[in-house]
Amino acid sequence: MSILRRTFALSLGLISIATLSGTAMAQNRELVVASSATYAPFAFENKDKQIVGFDVDIINAIAKQQNIKIKLVNTPWSGIFAALNNGDVDLVISGVTINDKRRQSFDFSAPYFAAHQLIAVPKDSTVTSLKDLAGKKIAVVNASTADDVASREFGKTNPNIRRFESTPLIISEVAGGGVDAAIGDNGVIAYRVSQTANLKAVTDASFPEESFGIVVKKGDKALQDKLNAGLAAVRADGSYAQIYKKWFAQDYKGR
């Protein structure tokens, strides 16, 4: 073998060793998990300023099952995907709906929660469907699935669509009379309405069934596979059903 070929082979070997070492380090290091803690009962701050909720319990159960060390970071929804793209966090669990638009930029775990949109209105409202909101002021969380739904139905630039940064803000707006209705994911809207005396929830059969997924960087198959394996395991061992009942006060019936 010539000196040049030996040198080339040695270089390849060193690259392979470095790659393996890097992978091993990545597997052992603490992973940073982003969640927007304004999304009860999925993620929110308790009286001790700890982030708790359904999403928190699910990711902790997955991490324990897969022997992954994680650190949860409260990240505003408006910057949560940028934080993932920039490498500030390794994954996102924050009630993120899996859709084709997001799949272009990110990869998802298998679904961990079945969802659909829900409308919050004052108790004396006559609204019974999305179409009844035509001409009315509607609050949505900016860049959310509800934003997409309202934009498709009434036009993205419609001035009646009011965009806010969190679910508590849209609920506050409708409860205070600033808007006529708020649209959001069923779990969080139902939870907020149950705690707000003058509001009720309205469902619309036209809203499609959706799924929440854990978000990872595009192409991060190793982490995606670990999350999927962990999720399958916590479903199989009954942990998922226990967490579901804890936060939604009903038995998990599957989908």
Side-chain angles (χ1 to χ4, degrees), residues 1 19 62 71 74 97 111 120-121 128 131 148 154 174 198 200 226 245 253-254:
M1 182 184 290
T19 301
I62 290 172
K71 175 184 178 183
N74 186 0
T97 303
V121 294
T128 60
K131 291 189 180 300
D148 292 340
F154 305 114
V174 68
N198 65 330
K200 65 180 179 180
K226 269 190 166 294
K245 187 165 187 177
K253 296 182 172 59

Side-chain angles (χ1 to χ4, degrees), residues 52-95:
V52 297
F54 178 79
D55 282 1
V56 177
D57 285 355
I58 289 294
I59 196 62
N60 279 329
I62 290 172
K64 181 179 179 181
Q65 204 284 330
Q66 288 292 296
N67 196 28
I68 301 170
K69 292 177 286 187
I70 62 172
K71 175 184 178 183
L72 198 67
V73 176
N74 186 0
T75 309
W77 175 261
S78 57
I80 208 163
F81 297 112
L84 181 59
N85 269 334
N86 295 339
D88 297 328
V89 303
D90 298 289
L91 60 144
V92 172
I93 183 165
S94 195

Side-chain angles (χ1 to χ4, degrees), residues 28-42:
N28 291 328
R29 72 176 176 83
E30 185 177 64
L31 298 181
V32 181
V33 181
S35 192
S36 179
T38 59
Y39 202 62
F42 293 90

Side-chain angles (χ1 to χ4, degrees), residues 4-239:
L4 181 61
R5 289 179 64 187
R6 283 200 301 272
T7 301
F8 180 68
L10 179 61
S11 298
L12 285 177
L14 290 173
I15 290 170
S16 298
I17 291 170
T19 301
L20 287 172
S21 299
T23 302
M25 287 174 63
Q27 289 174 345
N28 291 328
R29 72 176 176 83
E30 185 177 64
L31 298 181
V32 181
V33 181
S35 192
S36 179
T38 59
Y39 202 62
F42 293 90
F44 61 102
E45 287 188 340
N46 64 13
K47 59 182 177 61
D48 299 318
K49 297 299 182 182
Q50 298 169 320
I51 304 175
V52 297
F54 178 79
D55 282 1
V56 177
D57 285 355
I58 289 294
I59 196 62
N60 279 329
I62 290 172
K64 181 179 179 181
Q65 204 284 330
Q66 288 292 296
N67 196 28
I68 301 170
K69 292 177 286 187
I70 62 172
K71 175 184 178 183
L72 198 67
V73 176
N74 186 0
T75 309
W77 175 261
S78 57
I80 208 163
F81 297 112
L84 181 59
N85 269 334
N86 295 339
D88 297 328
V89 303
D90 298 289
L91 60 144
V92 172
I93 183 165
S94 195
V96 182
T97 303
I98 302 170
N99 60 36
D100 290 340
K101 181 180 178 182
R102 288 175 178 152
R103 282 186 188 276
Q104 292 174 14
S105 302
F106 306 99
D107 284 334
F108 286 85
S109 70
Y112 72 89
F113 185 81
H116 57 263
Q117 297 301 290
L118 201 62
I119 304 168
V121 294
K123 280 190 173 175
D124 60 358
S125 173
T126 59
V127 168
T128 60
S129 68
L130 178 64
K131 291 189 180 300
D132 289 342
L133 296 179
K136 298 183 184 298
K137 299 184 187 72
I138 308 162
V140 298
V141 174
N142 187 41
S144 66
T145 301
D147 190 353
D148 292 340
V149 166
S151 296
R152 282 196 302 269
E153 184 70 26
F154 305 114
K156 190 170 182 63
T157 59
N158 190 317
N160 282 330
I161 300 175
R162 311 292 173 86
R163 296 175 174 88
F164 298 86
E165 292 306 312
S166 70
T167 303
L169 288 176
I170 68 173
I171 291 295
S172 177
E173 279 296 305
V174 68
V179 297
D180 300 297
I183 306 174
D185 294 317
N186 59 321
V188 68
I189 291 293
Y191 180 85
R192 293 288 178 180
V193 165
S194 72
Q195 297 189 326
T196 311
N198 65 330
L199 298 184
K200 65 180 179 180
V202 173
T203 190
D204 185 324
S206 71
F207 287 144
E209 288 295 315
E210 301 159 343
S211 298
F212 292 169
I214 306 167
V215 195
V216 300
K217 272 190 171 181
K218 196 74 175 172
D220 193 350
K221 191 172 188 309
L223 181 53
Q224 184 185 37
D225 287 347
K226 269 190 166 294
L227 293 171
N228 283 338
L231 180 58
V234 299
R235 284 187 183 277
D237 69 10
S239 301

